[in-house]
Amino acid sequence: MAATEAAMTLRLEQAAVAYEVNTAHIPTPTVDLDDILTVPLTPTLKPPSPYPTPVAALLQRAHHRLLTDGWCNGTLVDAQGARCLYGAVRAEAGGDQALESRGMEILAEAIRRQFGEFVDSVPGFNDAFGSGRVPTRMLDQAALLADARGL
Protein backbone atom coordinates (compact mmCIF):
# COMPACT_ATOMS: atom_id res chain seq x y z
CA MET A 1 0.00 0.00 0.00
CA ALA A 2 2.82 2.39 0.92
CA ALA A 3 4.65 1.56 -2.31
CA THR A 4 1.53 2.30 -4.37
CA GLU A 5 1.04 5.61 -2.55
CA ALA A 6 4.68 6.59 -3.13
CA ALA A 7 4.39 5.71 -6.82
CA MET A 8 1.19 7.75 -7.19
CA THR A 9 2.76 10.73 -5.41
CA LEU A 10 5.76 10.56 -7.76
CA ARG A 11 3.46 10.40 -10.81
CA LEU A 12 1.41 13.37 -9.59
CA GLU A 13 4.55 15.44 -9.02
CA GLN A 14 5.82 14.57 -12.53
CA ALA A 15 2.44 15.51 -14.02
CA ALA A 16 2.51 18.88 -12.21
CA VAL A 17 5.98 19.64 -13.58
CA ALA A 18 4.95 18.57 -17.09
CA TYR A 19 1.89 20.82 -16.91
CA GLU A 20 4.01 23.82 -15.91
CA VAL A 21 6.47 23.16 -18.74
CA ASN A 22 3.78 22.60 -21.35
CA THR A 23 1.79 25.73 -20.46
CA ALA A 24 4.66 28.15 -19.82
CA HIS A 25 4.40 29.63 -23.32
CA ILE A 26 0.70 30.57 -22.93
CA PRO A 27 0.40 34.27 -22.14
CA THR A 28 -1.69 35.15 -19.11
CA PRO A 29 -3.09 38.67 -18.91
CA THR A 30 -2.64 40.63 -15.74
CA VAL A 31 -5.90 41.24 -13.96
CA ASP A 32 -6.52 44.69 -12.56
CA LEU A 33 -8.59 44.31 -9.39
CA ASP A 34 -10.34 47.61 -10.14
CA ASP A 35 -11.85 45.99 -13.25
CA ILE A 36 -13.54 43.24 -11.25
CA LEU A 37 -17.24 43.77 -10.69
CA THR A 38 -18.39 43.88 -7.11
CA VAL A 39 -21.86 43.36 -5.73
CA PRO A 40 -23.30 44.53 -2.44
CA LEU A 41 -23.06 42.04 0.40
CA THR A 42 -26.81 42.20 0.93
CA PRO A 43 -28.50 42.04 -2.46
CA THR A 44 -31.59 44.14 -2.90
CA LEU A 45 -34.61 42.54 -4.48
CA LYS A 46 -36.41 44.65 -7.01
CA PRO A 47 -40.12 44.04 -7.24
CA PRO A 48 -41.16 42.34 -10.47
CA SER A 49 -43.38 44.04 -13.01
CA PRO A 50 -46.82 44.12 -11.41
CA TYR A 51 -49.66 42.01 -12.67
CA PRO A 52 -52.36 44.10 -14.38
CA THR A 53 -55.20 42.71 -12.26
CA PRO A 54 -55.79 43.82 -8.66
CA VAL A 55 -55.87 40.45 -6.85
CA ALA A 56 -52.87 39.08 -8.74
CA ALA A 57 -50.95 42.31 -8.07
CA LEU A 58 -51.87 42.12 -4.36
CA LEU A 59 -50.59 38.56 -4.06
CA GLN A 60 -47.46 39.44 -6.00
CA ARG A 61 -46.75 42.38 -3.66
CA ALA A 62 -47.34 40.15 -0.64
CA HIS A 63 -44.90 37.60 -2.09
CA HIS A 64 -42.30 40.31 -2.57
CA ARG A 65 -42.88 41.56 0.98
CA LEU A 66 -42.13 38.10 2.37
CA LEU A 67 -38.96 37.93 0.29
CA THR A 68 -37.72 41.30 1.51
CA ASP A 69 -39.07 41.56 5.07
CA GLY A 70 -39.03 37.89 6.00
CA TRP A 71 -41.53 35.22 6.96
CA CYS A 72 -42.76 34.20 10.39
CA ASN A 73 -45.33 31.87 11.91
CA GLY A 74 -47.51 32.12 14.98
CA THR A 75 -48.14 35.86 14.61
CA LEU A 76 -49.09 38.41 11.96
CA VAL A 77 -45.86 40.40 12.39
CA ASP A 78 -42.88 39.48 14.56
CA ALA A 79 -40.48 41.84 16.35
CA GLN A 80 -38.15 42.02 13.32
CA GLY A 81 -40.97 42.94 10.93
CA ALA A 82 -41.32 39.52 9.31
CA ARG A 83 -44.89 38.56 8.40
CA CYS A 84 -46.99 35.46 7.98
CA LEU A 85 -48.98 34.83 4.78
CA TYR A 86 -52.08 36.57 6.12
CA GLY A 87 -50.02 39.44 7.54
CA ALA A 88 -48.34 40.06 4.19
CA VAL A 89 -51.63 40.02 2.26
CA ARG A 90 -53.28 42.26 4.85
CA ALA A 91 -50.43 44.78 4.78
CA GLU A 92 -50.40 44.95 1.00
CA ALA A 93 -54.20 45.28 0.76
CA GLY A 94 -53.89 48.66 2.48
CA GLY A 95 -57.21 48.43 4.31
CA ASP A 96 -59.26 47.30 1.29
CA GLN A 97 -61.10 44.42 2.96
CA ALA A 98 -62.78 43.21 -0.23
CA LEU A 99 -59.42 42.95 -1.99
CA GLU A 100 -57.85 41.30 1.05
CA SER A 101 -60.69 38.77 1.26
CA ARG A 102 -60.49 37.90 -2.44
CA GLY A 103 -56.71 37.53 -2.20
CA MET A 104 -57.04 35.16 0.74
CA GLU A 105 -59.65 33.10 -1.14
CA ILE A 106 -57.33 32.66 -4.12
CA LEU A 107 -54.39 31.89 -1.82
CA ALA A 108 -56.44 29.25 0.02
CA GLU A 109 -57.48 27.73 -3.31
CA ALA A 110 -53.88 27.59 -4.54
CA ILE A 111 -52.84 25.91 -1.27
CA ARG A 112 -55.65 23.35 -1.49
CA ARG A 113 -54.78 22.58 -5.11
CA GLN A 114 -51.24 21.72 -4.04
CA PHE A 115 -51.80 20.18 -0.59
CA GLY A 116 -55.36 18.85 -0.69
CA GLU A 117 -58.74 19.78 0.70
CA PHE A 118 -57.73 19.00 4.29
CA VAL A 119 -56.03 22.43 4.60
CA ASP A 120 -58.59 24.33 6.68
CA SER A 121 -57.15 27.86 6.63
CA VAL A 122 -54.28 29.98 5.34
CA PRO A 123 -53.04 30.85 8.87
CA GLY A 124 -53.16 27.16 9.84
CA PHE A 125 -51.19 26.26 6.71
CA ASN A 126 -48.66 29.02 7.41
CA ASP A 127 -48.13 27.94 11.02
CA ALA A 128 -47.54 24.31 10.01
CA PHE A 129 -44.14 25.20 8.53
CA GLY A 130 -40.82 25.87 10.22
CA SER A 131 -39.42 27.86 7.31
CA GLY A 132 -41.01 30.26 4.85
CA ARG A 133 -39.88 28.56 1.64
CA VAL A 134 -43.14 26.72 0.92
CA PRO A 135 -45.56 29.42 2.17
CA THR A 136 -43.72 32.08 0.14
CA ARG A 137 -43.83 29.87 -2.95
CA MET A 138 -47.58 29.43 -2.49
CA LEU A 139 -48.10 33.21 -2.61
CA ASP A 140 -46.31 33.28 -5.95
CA GLN A 141 -48.45 30.42 -7.27
CA ALA A 142 -51.62 32.13 -6.04
CA ALA A 143 -50.60 35.30 -7.91
CA LEU A 144 -50.19 33.24 -11.09
CA LEU A 145 -53.61 31.66 -10.54
CA ALA A 146 -55.27 35.05 -10.01
CA ASP A 147 -53.59 36.44 -13.10
CA ALA A 148 -54.70 33.45 -15.20
CA ARG A 149 -58.27 34.11 -14.09
CA GLY A 150 -58.03 37.84 -14.71
CA LEU A 151 -58.68 38.68 -11.07
Side-chain angles (χ1 to χ4, degrees):
M1 185 75 156
T4 303
E5 184 177 338
M8 287 303 294
T9 302
L10 181 63
R11 289 183 69 190
L12 286 171
E13 289 173 354
Q14 289 174 342
V17 169
Y19 175 80
E20 291 296 323
V21 169
N22 291 334
T23 60
H25 69 283
I26 300 173
T28 55
T30 304
V31 177
D32 184 8
L33 293 180
D34 292 333
D35 293 340
I36 296 176
L37 296 175
T38 59
V39 295
L41 294 177
T42 52
T44 57
L45 294 174
K46 294 180 182 175
S49 300
Y51 285 113
T53 57
V55 176
L58 165 69
L59 294 168
Q60 182 184 38
R61 290 191 311 271
H63 176 256
H64 184 72
R65 181 178 286 260
L66 287 186
L67 291 176
T68 56
D69 294 350
W71 170 88
C72 69
N73 62 2
T75 184
L76 287 176
V77 184
D78 71 5
Q80 291 78 31
R83 296 178 181 273
C84 70
L85 288 172
Y86 177 61
V89 171
R90 186 174 189 179
E92 291 300 327
D96 185 343
Q97 292 180 346
L99 180 63
E100 177 184 324
S101 176
R102 192 66 181 130
M104 292 300 289
E105 287 173 16
I106 296 296
L107 178 55
E109 182 180 343
I111 290 169
R112 287 185 184 114
R113 282 181 166 201
Q114 181 93 22
F115 293 94
E117 291 298 318
F118 65 89
V119 177
D120 60 339
S121 69
V122 171
F125 173 81
N126 182 80
D127 292 348
F129 288 90
S131 81
R133 186 177 59 83
V134 173
T136 302
R137 187 184 76 221
M138 292 312 302
L139 262 176
D140 188 44
Q141 290 181 6
L144 287 169
L145 178 61
D147 183 53
R149 292 186 177 170
L151 301 174

